[in-house]
Structure formats: C-alpha cells, structure tokens
C-alpha cells in the first residue's frame, strides 16, 4: 500500500479527498491518501502546499517525492531537510487561469477601459485605442505560464517578445535572453508582464535602473512574485509619471498590509494573489501521474532543479 500524505490547505481537502483515491484506483495504484500519517516514516509521497506548517522533512525517511500543489516553490526549494525529489505544479487550470488574468488586464490597459467605467463628467471622447498589433508586450519568463500567456496575446495580434534565462525558440514570438535581451524587451514593451519564479537571480529584477529602461507610460502586470520588483523604485516611477500603471497580484508580504502604499496609489491595481489557482480536478491528475511514475521508477514530471531554484 502506497501512503500519500496531503499536507496542504485544509479548506480544499474536500476537493481532493474523493478525486485522488478515484484517480489512483483508475491508475491501478493501491494507495491511501491521508491528512495525518500514523508515522512520518510510513509516508511515500507528500502532497504539499507552502501554506501548510510542515518545514522539517527529516522524519519522512521513506518519502519518494514531495509533490507541490503550487507552481512557485521558493518557500520550499532551499529547505535543507528536504532531500527527496521536489516536483512543482503545472496543470491546465493554473495555466488557463493565468492566461485569462493576463489577457484581461492587458486588454484593460490596451483599450483604456477605465476611462469609460469611471467617467463622472460624462465626457464624450471618441478617441479610439490603437489596435493590438500596434502594441508590444514584453513577457518576462517564458516557462509554462509565460509561454501560454505570450501565445494567447500573440493570438490577439499583440507584438509579443519573450525573455527567459536560457535561449528559446517559440514560433511567432521573438525570444531574448541575458541582460542585453532584457534591456531590448523592456525598452520596447508597452505592457510588461513578469511571470518569473522568485530566485536569488530574479529578486529585484525590475529595480530603478531597469525600470528606467521602460517606455514612458508603460504598464507593468506582475502575477509572478512580489519580490521581482523593487517596490520603492516602482512607486517612484509611477509618481514621476514615467510608468502608466502597475497591476499587481503578488506581494513581498501577503496579505498586502493595510498601510502599504500600493493600496492607496491611483496608478496601482491590487488583486489578492488570484491570478491563477490550482484546481483539484486538473491538479489531481498531475499528482497521480507523478505517483504512478514514482511507483514505476519513471522520471517525475515538473521536477524542480534545486540548484537553479525553480
Ligand atoms: P516555469 O518554471 O515554467 O518558468 C519560469 C520562467 O522564468 C522560465 O522561462 C525561466 O527561464 C524564467 N527564468 C527563471 N529565472 C530566470 C532568470 N534569472 N532570468 C531570466 N529568466 C528566468 O514557471 P511557471 O511559468 O510555471 O510559473 C512562473 C511563476 O509564476 C511561478 O514561479 C510563480 O511564482 C508564479 N505563479 C503565480 C501565480 C499567481 O496566482 N499569481 C500562480 C502560479 C504561478 P528558462 O525557460 O530559461 O528556464
Ligand atoms: C503558485 C501560486 O505558485 O499560486 O501556484 O502562486
């Protein structure tokens, strides 16, 4: 019997408690999924979310893998007590949600929708926005989520440019890497989307110097992680009129403290870390496939490179 310990948000356990055993049985795996293990040494797989209080993995001596329900693993990747393989979440629900959030907020700024929603003096201004084909989007991060968002925006005719750590080739989307590549995409982007993981290399990636490369009036959308952007540099650029707006879903401290300047700033939109959610129906399939692989001795999907940090 394979023992799987669910160590994630109790609030969503109800969504997993039936689907996981059903999918495990369908995959021919004799397994039990529990929220409390009789003893840590009996556990084969840990289904994990960083919101759970488990930090010391030392006692899980038989554990074959930790399977994260989250895409971002910055809160666990450096945990020295975790010696087992760590897999992150890539699933269709997460990807579709992120595409919808990024496309929705890109279109808001592209079309200038706010002008018509908030128009107290009933101003009749028939200025048409440009077409998407006249706008450039810089997609920082061309992984599972960034690539899907880049493709969706390119499908609406936006001129999308991608940027990543390593060189990439994505049909229809010019891709860049390295510092010179970053400067090129930032200088051209009307909308800059940050879909990077938080690592020592990406922390404060958008600092005052690099924000200074951005086009006057450009908009930032950050559904990646709060630490990718230097908060003070962002606020200074918005105050100076150098940037047009920032729509932020993720923050250094969450929930965003009530006294944080982002809440009050007229050029900042705060969404409460809802850009994309892991949904049980899709995520359970990914978890079960990885358990199947683990039991069959096959390589895991979405294995985190511990040295790289994502
Ligand atoms: P991936 O690991 O698939 O992609 C990460 C991308 O970032 C890759 O293209 C990678 O480059 C690039 N990258 C990493 N480090 C650097 C660097 N130093 N310089 C340049 N590029 C870099 O991750 P996902 O697309 O699945 O997710 C991205 C992030 O989105 C997550 O880490 C998480 O923080 C966030 N997220 C937010 C959610 C929300 O609700 N707000 C929900 C889910 C995720 P390369 O391709 O060369 O490796
Ligand atoms: C994730 C997230 O990383 O929700 O999955 O931010």
């Amino acid at each position: 019997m394979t023992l799987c310990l669910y160590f994630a948000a109790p609030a969503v356990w109800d969504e997993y408690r039936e689907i996981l055993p059903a999918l495990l049985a369908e995959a021919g795996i004799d397994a039990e999924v529990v929220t409390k293990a009789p003893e840590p040494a009996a556990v084969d797989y840990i289904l994990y979310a960083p919101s759970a209080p488990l930090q010391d993995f030392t006692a899980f001596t038989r554990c074959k893998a930790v399977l994260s329900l989250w895409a971002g693993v910055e809160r666990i990747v450096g945990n020295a007590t975790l010696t087992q393989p760590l897999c992150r979440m890539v699933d269709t629900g997460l990807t579709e949600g992120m595409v919808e959030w990024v496309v929705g907020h890109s279109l808001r700024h592209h079309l200038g929708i706010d002008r018509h929603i908030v128009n107290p003096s009933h101003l009749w201004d028939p200025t048409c926005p440009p077409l998407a084909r006249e706008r450039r989007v810089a997609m920082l991060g061309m992984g599972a989520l960034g690539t899907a968002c880049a493709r969706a925006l390119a499908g609406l005719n936006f001129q999308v440019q991608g940027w990543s750590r390593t060189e990439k080739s994505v049909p229809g989307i010019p891709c860049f890497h390295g510092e010179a590549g970053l400067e090129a995409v930032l200088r051209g982007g009307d909308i800059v989307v940050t879909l990077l993981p938080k690592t020592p290399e990406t922390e404060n990636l958008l600092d005052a110097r690099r924000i200074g490369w951005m086009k006057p009036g450009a908009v930032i959308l950050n559904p990646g992680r709060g630490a990718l952007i230097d908060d003070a540099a962002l606020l200074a650029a918005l105050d100076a009129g150098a940037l047009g707006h920032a729509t932020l879903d993720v923050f250094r401290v969450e929930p965003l403290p009530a006294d944080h300047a982002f809440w009050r700033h007229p050029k900042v939109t705060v969404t409460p870390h809802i850009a994309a959610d892991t949904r049980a129906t899709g995520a359970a399939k990914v978890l079960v496939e990885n358990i199947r692989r683990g039991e069959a001795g096959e390589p895991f999907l979405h294995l985190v490179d511990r040295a790289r940090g994502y």
Side-chain angles (χ1 to χ4, degrees), residues 69-74 89 94 223-225 250 273 276-278:
L69 295 179
W70 286 42
V73 289
E74 72 280 359
M89 182 51 67
L94 205 52
R225 284 292 182 261
V250 282
H273 201 144
D277 197 12
T278 303

Side-chain angles (χ1 to χ4, degrees), residues 1-213:
M1 164 82 75
T2 301
L3 189 62
C4 307
L5 174 64
Y6 174 91
F7 218 104
V12 287
W13 166 236
D14 273 351
E15 295 174 29
Y16 286 96
R17 70 189 311 161
E18 281 179 19
I19 193 168
L20 277 172
L23 289 175
L24 284 161
E26 208 177 292
I29 303 165
D30 179 20
E32 192 186 358
V33 189
V34 296
T35 53
K36 273 202 182 75
E39 47 170 340
V43 172
D44 294 290
Y45 297 91
I46 302 176
L47 317 182
Y48 180 83
S51 45
L54 176 59
Q55 288 301 326
D56 188 351
F57 294 87
T58 318
F60 293 90
T61 48
R62 193 171 102 180
C63 178
K64 296 169 195 152
V66 172
L67 309 177
S68 172
L69 295 179
W70 286 42
V73 289
E74 72 280 359
R75 279 154 74 181
I76 184 178
V77 72
N79 187 322
T81 69
L82 177 64
T83 51
Q84 297 86 352
L86 169 65
C87 302
R88 60 187 210 92
M89 182 51 67
V90 177
D91 96 295
T92 50
L94 205 52
T95 306
E96 282 175 34
M98 187 58 81
V99 166
E100 290 175 19
W101 188 94
V102 169
V103 169
H105 288 280
S106 296
L107 287 176
R108 169 192 171 194
H109 295 296
H110 162 60
L111 295 173
I113 288 174
D114 292 16
R115 267 187 330 127
H116 306 294
I117 292 178
V118 183
N119 185 6
S121 47
H122 301 170
L123 185 70
W124 182 269
D125 173 7
T127 313
C128 263
L131 291 173
R133 66 178 72 255
E134 296 164 67
R135 297 253 201 226
R136 193 170 280 177
V137 179
M139 187 63 63
L140 309 189
M142 286 291 285
L145 299 176
T147 302
C149 294
R151 287 200 173 112
L153 290 167
L156 291 171
N157 293 330
F158 284 100
Q159 298 175 38
V160 185
Q161 297 189 320
W163 182 76
S164 52
R165 190 178 57 85
T166 56
E167 200 171 342
K168 278 208 175 350
S169 163
V170 179
I173 299 172
C175 288
F176 298 78
H177 64 286
E179 186 76 0
L182 180 59
E183 181 169 353
V185 298
L186 285 181
R187 286 199 185 280
D190 298 293
I191 300 173
V192 173
V193 185
T194 44
L195 263 170
L196 299 153
K198 180 187 172 211
T199 69
E201 286 72 39
T202 62
E203 194 152 359
N204 287 322
L205 184 91
L206 292 188
D207 58 8
R209 185 174 65 92
R210 295 185 182 121
I211 287 175
W213 291 340

